[in-house]
Amino acid sequence: QVQLVESGGGLVQAGGSLRLSCVASGRTMTFSDYKMAWFRQATGNAREFVAGISVKGDSTNYADAVRGRFTISRDNDKNTVFLQMNSLKPEDTAVYHCAADLAYNDYVPDTTVGAMDYWGEGTLVTVSS
């Protein structure tokens, strides 16, 4: 079993920045066996892909809405994945969830909710205008 715990959410003004963190743990888990991703879900909307990173961290993918503003990274020694969010907009307001996808290759993760094996509870990001 894998546990994912997010942190770093909060209230920020439009144009500001936040850095989210997600720490993974589990008795038999090897963090570097998993592709990692961030998804978000705004009230009344479906959960959507935000960013993903390969197991080695050398490949990333982003949703069009955040490309150029958000950066995903990982530290395999600390079992942690990060999401640096800059130039935040009110439409970025959502609960942000970390997700893990057991890897069979070193490509970036799939962008679909159903492809993920484990989920965190999420951290709320609110961007005021």
Side-chain angles (χ1 to χ4, degrees):
Q1 191 70 6
V2 173
Q3 292 81 44
L4 303 174
V5 179
E6 303 94 336
S7 62
L11 173 64
V12 64
Q13 288 188 328
S17 298
L18 282 175
R19 189 190 196 208
L20 306 183
S21 300
C22 171
V23 178
S25 63
R27 194 160 55 90
T28 61
M29 182 199 192
T30 300
F31 185 66
S32 57
D33 285 344
Y34 291 83
K35 305 176 186 182
M36 299 299 296
W38 288 95
F39 287 72
R40 67 186 181 186
Q41 188 165 17
T43 302
N45 289 0
R47 191 168 296 188
E48 64 178 9
F49 173 81
V50 175
I53 190 165
S54 61
V55 295
K56 295 180 182 177
D58 51 0
S59 297
T60 57
N61 55 339
Y62 296 93
D64 290 342
V66 307
R67 186 175 291 111
R69 300 187 297 122
F70 291 11
T71 302
I72 188 172
S73 61
R74 66 189 294 162
D75 184 337
N76 286 348
D77 292 333
K78 296 182 178 179
N79 288 10
T80 303
V81 61
F82 304 97
L83 185 68
Q84 178 67 42
M85 306 187 295
N86 298 329
S87 302
L88 283 160
K89 305 175 181 180
E91 51 264 43
D92 294 318
T93 295
V95 175
Y96 283 72
H97 296 271
C98 173
D101 174 17
L102 185 61
Y104 297 96
N105 53 57
D106 196 28
Y107 302 147
V108 291
D110 196 286
T111 61
T112 58
V113 170
M116 299 297 116
D117 296 302
Y118 299 100
W119 292 90
E121 292 295 316
T123 185
L124 176 62
V125 172
T126 304
V127 184
S128 63
S129 57

